[in-house]
Amino acid sequence: MTLALVTGASGFIGSHVVDELLRQGYSVRGAVRSKNVSRISKSYESFGERFTTTVIEDLATSDLSEAIKGMSRCIIHVASPLANAGSPEVILETAVSGTTRVLEAALAADVKKLVITASMASLISLDDFWRDIRINETAHNPDKYEDAFKPGATSFTVYSVSKALADRAVGDFKREHPEFDITTIHPSYVFGPTGTGQVYNSVATGTNLYIYGLIAGPAGRPVRGYDRNNETPPLNVDVRDVARAHVLALKLPPSDTPKRFILSTSTFTWTEAIKYIAEVRPDLKARLPVITGNEPVIGPSVKLDISATENVLGLKNYVKWQDTVLDTINDLLRIEKQLAAQ
């Protein structure tokens, strides 16, 4: 039974990766902060010795040797700071140094197979999201460190730069150590319900705040637009498909260059999501934004080529966006009740 180390195991994507690994028969060592050990361990206690935890307080500074000790085959590195996780300096240091330190620890422990959660922001800069272009997995975001500190730089700019620099570090490492088998996964906006072991203290965080915004807010509010300065166009993927992609990557044969796969499976708009929720959950109509017919035009935006994801990685039969929206809404309502009862 193969043992896989998953960093960020108590997070949104990481918890789903753990779920998928356990579903497919792997044993998992979940790397989490000490404050989350008890909660995630309880979530997976039914798996017995197939799920264990290891403590990593800070990927940029903590000793990683104990976490990786005894790893026979693979590491899935998911942990990375969100767009609003701190100052630009902290976000960049955690994202880049955290990634390089995982790579170096894997090298020291002779672990040869790594799957790393990247982003579509690793491929193109924020300015290019809103251009009528088509890109594939060979693209690289040209952002530089100093771009995160330019006047007018937003939290998403900082996030984009952090992903670009971390991705560049992975490429440099692969060139220096061609024997390492490295795959990077590049999802667009990720939505979906919480994972089994996800630790949360609020109803929604990260990208799911957009979904929660469909049912949380003042009555009669308009449909939100797409802020070109701080977010991507309507390019989306279900978190469960993201998890499947990570596990599929473990099964690919080695290659001389890093394997890179884009995940983006739907393009629903907020107006479409609101109409769908109103249809399947009419009890929520009073909580939804009001569609006037005068919503802002979205305009041209980047097209993401996922042919390699389907033909090489083998990821197909995606979760439909309607199921993503409904499952997420239902899960957020569950969390609302749970937190209100505490």
Side-chain angles (χ1 to χ4, degrees):
M1 193 177 298
T2 300
L3 174 63
L5 171 69
V6 179
T7 69
S10 61
F12 179 40
I13 294 176
S15 62
H16 278 279
V17 170
V18 171
D19 289 345
E20 187 64 22
L21 286 165
L22 292 170
R23 188 177 299 117
Q24 295 199 29
Y26 289 79
S27 290
V28 178
R29 182 182 296 169
V32 296
R33 291 187 173 95
S34 57
K35 65 180 181 180
N36 294 330
V37 168
S38 176
R39 291 171 68 175
I40 192 173
S41 296
K42 184 175 181 180
S43 297
Y44 292 113
E45 61 184 356
S46 63
F47 288 92
E49 294 182 354
R50 285 185 57 206
F51 179 82
T52 57
T53 61
T54 185
V55 173
I56 298 179
E57 298 291 2
D58 185 347
L59 280 168
T61 59
S62 297
D63 179 8
L64 307 183
S65 59
E66 191 63 29
I68 296 178
K69 183 179 179 180
M71 296 303 303
S72 60
R73 184 183 174 191
C74 52
I75 296 172
I76 300 181
H77 175 45
V78 183
S80 188
L82 296 174
N84 295 303
S87 68
E89 292 87 352
V90 169
I91 291 174
L92 296 175
E93 173 66 16
T94 304
V96 180
S97 179
T99 297
T100 56
R101 294 185 78 247
V102 168
L103 292 167
E104 290 165 354
L107 177 65
D110 200 32
V111 178
K112 292 294 197 298
K113 183 175 283 289
L114 296 98
V115 180
I116 298 173
T117 310
S119 167
M120 66 176 288
S122 311
L123 307 174
I124 53 174
S125 65
L126 182 58
D127 291 340
D128 287 334
F129 286 157
W130 294 99
R131 292 177 55 208
D132 188 11
I133 57 176
R134 185 178 185 85
I135 65 160
N136 61 23
E137 69 284 352
T138 64
H140 291 273
N141 183 346
D143 285 352
K144 300 178 178 63
Y145 182 88
E146 55 268 24
D147 291 331
F149 302 92
K150 288 182 176 179
T154 66
S155 59
F156 194 81
T157 304
V158 177
Y159 173 81
S160 177
V161 172
S162 76
K163 285 299 187 180
L165 297 180
D167 189 54
R168 216 166 292 155
V170 172
D172 292 342
F173 184 88
K174 175 64 176 178
R175 282 186 289 273
E176 295 171 5
H177 304 282
E179 73 279 9
F180 265 68
D181 182 18
I182 302 177
T183 302
T184 52
I185 305 297
H186 301 260
S188 58
Y189 265 31
V190 183
F191 301 129
T194 55
T196 301
Q198 182 174 341
V199 174
Y200 52 84
N201 299 301
S202 58
V203 178
T205 58
T207 47
N208 271 348
L209 283 168
Y210 291 105
I211 301 295
Y212 190 46
L214 298 176
I215 58 168
R221 67 192 182 282
V223 179
R224 64 169 291 128
Y226 288 85
D227 181 358
R228 293 177 177 237
N229 295 315
N230 209 32
E231 61 187 274
T232 73
L235 302 168
N236 321 290
V237 61
D238 190 285
V239 67
R240 292 162 290 192
D241 287 330
V242 177
R244 288 171 55 215
H246 283 75
V247 180
L248 281 171
L250 294 178
K251 303 174 183 179
L252 292 177
S255 68
D256 294 334
T257 57
K259 297 182 287 289
R260 298 160 64 83
F261 299 105
I262 298 175
L263 303 182
S264 191
T265 59
S266 66
T267 57
F268 72 87
T269 65
W270 301 132
T271 300
E272 291 171 324
I274 292 164
K275 290 179 179 178
Y276 179 69
I277 296 168
E279 176 186 346
V280 298
R281 288 294 305 266
D283 56 308
L284 296 176
K285 283 185 178 180
R287 297 183 60 168
L288 295 171
V290 175
I291 298 173
T292 64
N294 297 315
E295 284 67 39
V297 176
I298 296 173
S301 61
V302 65
K303 309 296 186 299
L304 303 177
D305 183 351
I306 62 170
S307 57
T309 303
E310 295 183 341
N311 299 329
V312 179
L313 185 61
L315 183 66
K316 300 178 181 179
N317 301 317
Y318 308 112
V319 177
K320 296 179 180 178
W321 73 260
Q322 293 90 340
D323 293 332
T324 299
V325 170
L326 182 58
D327 292 348
T328 306
I329 289 291
N330 288 337
D331 193 49
L332 293 170
L333 292 170
R334 174 191 65 81
I335 296 172
E336 271 189 347
K337 292 181 180 179
Q338 179 189 24
L339 295 180
Q342 292 181 354

